[in-house]
Each structure stands twice: as C-alpha cells, then as structure tokens.
Amino acid sequence: MSKTLATKGPVSERMGSIRRVLWIVLFLNLGVAAAKYFYGVASGSASMQADGIHSVFDSAGNVVGLVGIALAARPADEGHPYGHAKFETYASLVIGVLLLLAAFEVGSSAVGKLASGVYTAEVTPVSFVVMAGTLAVNLGVTTYERRCAKRLKSEVLGADANHTLSDALVSIGVIVGLVAVALGFPMADPVMALVVTVAILATAYDVFKHALATLSDRARIPEEDVRAAAVAVPGVRDAHRIRTRGTEGEVYADLHVLVDPSMTVGEAHALADEVEDAVRARFPNVADTLVHIEPDDGHTE
C-alpha cells in the first residue's frame, strides 16, 4: 500500500522568499563592488581591485541564483514529476564556477605584479574608510543571508552567504595589506591579493561540496528521526527501509511501515495518510512522502 503527498504551496512561498533576499543582496553587493574596485583603480591597489572583482562575482552569483530560483519555482510537470527544485542546486554550482574564474583573475594579476616587481599601491586615509565601510556591509549581508538560508533551507542562499563571508575575510586581509604598504612594504599588496585567491578557492570548494551532496542523493534527514515520527502514529508497529533525498528545502521521503496483518485496505490507506501527516509535521521541508504498508507477520522484505 502506498500513498504520496505533494504540497507545492509552501515550496512556492519559499522560492519567493529566497528571490526577495537575492534581490536585496544583489544591490548591496553591486554597491560594495563599485566602491572597492574603482577606488582600487584610482589608488593603484592590486588587493583592493582584486577584492572589488571578488565582489563583482558576488553580484554575478546573485543573478545566477535569481535565474536558478525562477526555474526551481516551476511546478512539477510530465517531464519533471519531482519538480524543478534541483535547478537551485545547479545555480549554486554555477556560482562555484564563477568563483573559480574570479580566483584565476585575481591570482594572475597578483602573480604578474610580483613577477614584474612593480608595486603601484598608494595608501591614503580614504583607502581605509572605503575598506572599513564595505567590510561592515559585507558582515551585515553575511549575517542576514545566513539567517535566511537557515530559515528557508536554501542551498543558493547558503552558498552566497559563504561567498559574502569570504569577501569580508578578504577585505580584512586587504586592510592588513594596506597597513603594511603604509609602513613601507609595497610587496604586501599583491601578496594579500594572493591570499584573496586562496580564500576564493576555499569558498568554491565549500559551494561544490554542498551542491554535490544534493546531486548525489545524500540522505537529508537521519533515518532514526523519520522512524520516530512514523512509529509515534497509533497502529504503526515499526518502520524500516527509510530513505530521503532532494535539496535541503525540498526533501522527498519514502519508508515502509509494519502494521497489523488483519488491517483492511481502507484502514491501511488511512494509516498511510496519518504517517505522511506526522512526517510532514515533524519535518516541514518534506515536500512528498511515499508510505509502503507491510503486514507485521515476521517476514519483512
């Protein structure tokens, strides 16, 4: 006996909330990128320019996220009976690729300056004002986006929050580099740009790791937690062969429950509904549940 449950309303609301967050973060990232990059060009600071480029890729990542969410929000159809939620995961993969491109751009520029021995950075009080101001914005955006990612269980927001956090850490490194330049160590500027490169690569690794967890159908909810929700339903004697997969925000679950062998088809059907409701009540991110009824006759499959 099996029964499925699909609830797309909450999923659509979730996608709309993620979209709003991405728009807000996009405009903030564009402002931060412009401030750092253009002042970096004006002052000749390679590390500030590198940090500005990193922020530009933050903005590009927001655009990719918006496209991905637009696709992921589409309802299930004949060709995609499980819906389009994994487009959110694909969008996070594209963000990872953008990070790799940013790392190449930043790293190659820094290596070029170190190889030529030409250091052009000029440090003024405005340099520190610009970096401190953009750092404050980055930290604020990171905190906001992390909270939204956790609440909405969004891979795109989680990836973008990590990206923005790396931008904040990079900004701290740039400030350190500017201090070193002001103290008479001009080589510190491109060296800190290389530190930027390493930070970007570390962020890309984290993004790929989370995306591949979804694409490889990694279990999303511990088996024992799903079992506890099922056996709490009166009439369920046990549960096994429990599986979960999907994105963090849209999980698909299936399980086998053992019941009294004398139970009628109608009673088994009603019990399956109760198990589905119990699983959904315990885990709101479960979008669809498949329950297979088995008689508890000592011969489970």
Side-chain angles (χ1 to χ4, degrees), residues 35-301:
K36 288 190 286 193
Y37 182 77
F38 287 114
Y39 191 78
V41 171
S43 64
S45 171
S47 59
M48 285 188 70
Q49 292 177 51
D51 200 7
I53 292 172
H54 190 189
S55 295
V56 168
F57 277 90
D58 274 343
S59 302
N62 297 148
V63 174
V64 170
L66 286 166
V67 174
I69 289 300
L71 294 173
R74 296 167 60 189
D77 54 34
E78 184 177 351
H80 301 83
Y82 287 97
H84 299 77
K86 283 189 177 179
F87 278 100
E88 181 182 355
T89 306
Y90 297 141
S92 67
L93 282 176
V94 175
I95 291 175
V97 173
L98 291 175
L99 283 167
L100 293 179
L101 293 174
F104 174 78
E105 175 68 22
V106 172
S108 60
S109 174
V111 170
K113 284 183 176 292
L114 288 171
S116 66
V118 177
Y119 312 118
T120 58
E122 296 179 6
V123 181
T124 67
V126 178
S127 302
F128 293 103
V129 171
V130 171
M131 292 306 304
T134 56
L135 174 60
V137 173
N138 283 150
L139 292 175
V141 169
T142 299
T143 301
Y144 168 67
E145 204 166 12
R146 275 189 182 279
R147 289 177 179 173
C148 292
K150 184 176 181 180
R151 175 172 57 86
L152 299 170
K153 297 185 183 299
S154 169
E155 293 181 5
V156 163
L157 291 183
D160 202 48
N162 286 338
H163 193 179
T164 306
L165 176 61
S166 74
D167 202 17
L169 295 175
V170 164
S171 295
I172 294 173
V174 171
I175 292 172
V176 173
L178 292 176
V179 170
V181 171
L183 293 175
F185 300 96
M187 183 183 292
D189 183 56
V191 168
M192 291 312 301
L194 288 179
V195 174
V196 171
T197 302
V198 174
I200 297 174
L201 289 174
T203 305
Y205 169 78
D206 190 62
V207 169
F208 285 125
K209 181 179 70 174
H210 284 84
L212 292 177
T214 296
L215 296 178
S216 62
D217 283 339
R218 180 180 179 181
R220 284 301 180 186
I221 303 174
E223 181 178 333
E224 282 305 310
D225 290 349
V226 178
R227 180 179 179 278
V231 299
V233 177
V236 175
R237 295 182 177 180
D238 201 358
H240 67 146
R241 296 186 64 180
I242 300 168
R243 300 181 297 180
T244 57
R245 64 183 179 86
T247 66
E248 291 186 23
E250 189 170 330
V251 177
Y252 290 85
D254 61 84
L255 67 155
H256 292 220
V257 298
L258 303 181
V259 302
D260 185 342
S262 64
M263 185 175 287
T264 67
V265 172
E267 292 171 335
H269 181 94
L271 184 61
D273 283 342
E274 291 182 41
V275 171
E276 291 165 6
D277 291 341
V279 171
R280 181 56 191 266
R282 179 80 173 271
F283 310 104
N285 55 325
V286 172
D288 187 281
T289 307
L290 177 66
V291 177
H292 181 86
I293 299 293
E294 290 184 7
D296 185 19
D297 55 7
H299 298 88
T300 57
E301 297 180 1

